[in-house]
Amino acid sequence: MQRCVDLLAPALAAPGSVLVDCTLGMGGHTEAVLEQVPTARVLGIDRDLQALALASARLERFGDRFVPVHAVYDEITDVVEEHADGAVQGVLMDLGVSSLQLDESERGFSYAQDAPLDMRMDQSRGITAADVLNTYDERDLVRILREYGEERFAPRVARAIVRRRETQPWERTAELADAVRAAIPAATRKTGGNPSKRTFQALRIEVNGELEVLERAVPAAVEALAVDGRIVVESYQSLEDRIVKRAIARGTTSSAPAGLPVEPETHRPYLEALTRGAEEADAAELERNPRSASVRLRAARRLRPTPDHLLGTSWKEQR
């Protein structure tokens, strides 16, 4: 957490600077910024109404320096237009599941506690994990288990899911954890932690559309940054980190065709990487928060506006 504050603070030094905390959660990162950077104001986005309420109570002492916003963070463009006149000095994304969601057993995010198969970050809308398990065909189940959970035994797990629902619908997390464990060969269950971890991750990503949201959100966040503004992203699994890495590389790489004798000004990078690759949590952070063991942190600073020829194009189109 402190590393995030240290990276963001130089961009927030001027009075009236604005940070968008795209994944507010319980408000820990925002609290640290508001305490340590008295010039900053924070817009805290979360799709989870419970998280917004709890964080707002925690941050009440900061008055109008904190503004809670109920939204999905790929709506950052609209949020910034409404609350910050179209540009901000900092963006923070702490991806993955918040401690609130993991620790509230009834939310269904954890395979370690029996609960309804929900997994929605915003419980006011959308499909549940039970809906996915009970309605998706076997081929789609295999796809999400492979792509989002990186589950090598995806066909076996999907087959077990479909076979079980023929006689009884899926309702509880403990039932799913038991079925996944039974579907995976015993020899491979001896290492790598709980064998249900990958299936639960895949379902959570599917239910909340996490990777699609992130694909839209990171480029939008970069465009929301004023010149000299900074973006900091903490990812917790390789699929997220890959998306973040690609978006930052797009801005830190020349868009000029290979072989030009002189690089045109308009094709020079518009971002500067502030980390060398992806940083991992240090010993102090690991001791304070064991869940940070898988974190990968990337950060960048905006050097200049995005060139016109790159606006609205994807990384593949750029290359």
Side-chain angles (χ1 to χ4, degrees):
M1 181 185 299
Q2 187 57 47
R3 178 61 171 151
C4 294
V5 177
D6 292 343
L7 284 164
L8 290 164
L12 303 173
S17 296
V18 178
L19 167 71
V20 180
D21 185 344
C22 289
T23 48
L24 178 64
M26 295 295 288
H29 284 89
T30 284
E31 182 177 48
V33 169
L34 291 172
E35 286 178 343
Q36 297 180 44
V37 191
T39 49
R41 186 164 66 97
V42 179
L43 307 176
I45 297 175
D46 210 295
R47 66 172 81 180
D48 188 329
L49 287 167
Q50 184 183 10
L52 279 173
L54 292 171
S56 295
R58 177 180 186 173
L59 302 169
E60 185 178 10
R61 72 185 191 275
F62 296 104
D64 60 6
R65 292 181 61 209
F66 169 68
V67 179
V69 182
H70 182 225
V72 182
Y73 63 91
D74 63 345
E75 300 172 284
I76 184 172
T77 302
D78 295 335
V79 172
V80 170
E81 286 289 342
E82 180 177 354
H83 296 282
D85 297 325
V88 295
Q89 287 66 48
V91 174
L92 172 66
M93 297 181 184
D94 182 15
L95 306 176
V97 188
S98 73
S99 296
L100 168 67
Q101 292 158 344
L102 284 173
D103 295 340
E104 288 279 330
S105 61
E106 290 304 302
R107 303 294 294 272
F109 286 97
S110 175
Y111 46 77
Q113 304 174 77
D114 187 33
L117 280 160
D118 192 322
M119 299 194 192
R120 290 174 298 171
M121 293 179 179
D122 181 351
Q123 291 189 299
S124 68
R125 58 184 175 179
I127 63 171
T128 66
D131 293 330
V132 173
L133 293 170
N134 289 319
T135 63
Y136 280 32
D137 65 30
E138 188 171 332
R139 182 167 52 186
D140 282 336
L141 290 170
V142 170
R143 175 183 58 79
I144 67 169
L145 289 169
R146 273 190 178 141
E147 292 182 10
Y148 301 158
E150 300 177 291
E151 174 57 74
R152 58 187 286 213
F153 298 107
R156 295 177 64 139
V157 175
R159 199 172 308 120
I161 290 169
V162 171
R163 188 184 308 120
R164 194 248 190 212
R165 78 187 186 196
E166 290 173 352
T167 58
Q168 188 177 2
W170 290 100
E171 296 178 349
R172 309 287 300 184
T173 58
E175 299 166 347
L176 178 61
D178 289 344
V180 172
R181 189 177 299 107
I184 291 177
T188 66
R189 299 201 302 258
K190 296 177 181 178
T191 59
N194 193 303
S196 302
K197 176 172 62 177
R198 295 179 294 275
T199 293
F200 273 67
Q201 172 180 297
L203 285 171
R204 189 200 79 222
I205 290 172
E206 175 68 14
V207 165
N208 296 290
E210 291 179 35
L211 297 184
E212 292 90 344
V213 168
L214 186 61
E215 287 271 16
R216 295 188 293 268
V218 181
V222 169
E223 291 312 305
L225 286 177
V227 173
D228 284 330
R230 296 183 173 208
I231 181 170
V232 175
V233 186
E234 292 183 299
S235 306
Y236 292 83
Q237 41 104 343
S238 60
L239 299 172
E240 294 171 341
D241 184 54
R242 200 173 302 146
I243 292 170
V244 177
K245 177 182 179 181
R246 189 166 63 237
I248 290 178
R250 181 175 188 261
T252 57
T253 305
S254 172
S255 59
L260 285 185
V262 178
E263 180 185 38
E265 174 68 27
T266 55
H267 288 66
R268 290 178 180 171
Y270 55 90
L271 294 179
E272 173 194 17
L274 299 175
T275 57
R276 181 173 293 181
E279 293 183 358
E280 301 182 19
D282 60 23
E285 180 66 17
L286 285 170
E287 184 174 353
R288 189 190 68 81
N289 178 18
R291 287 175 180 164
S292 67
S294 60
V295 72
R296 299 294 180 269
L297 182 150
R298 296 181 187 271
R301 178 175 71 94
R302 180 179 273 287
L303 300 173
R304 60 192 183 91
T306 305
D308 289 343
H309 70 279
L310 293 181
L311 289 173
T313 65
S314 69
W315 170 253
K316 289 181 180 179
E317 289 170 330
Q318 178 182 340
R319 304 313 294 170

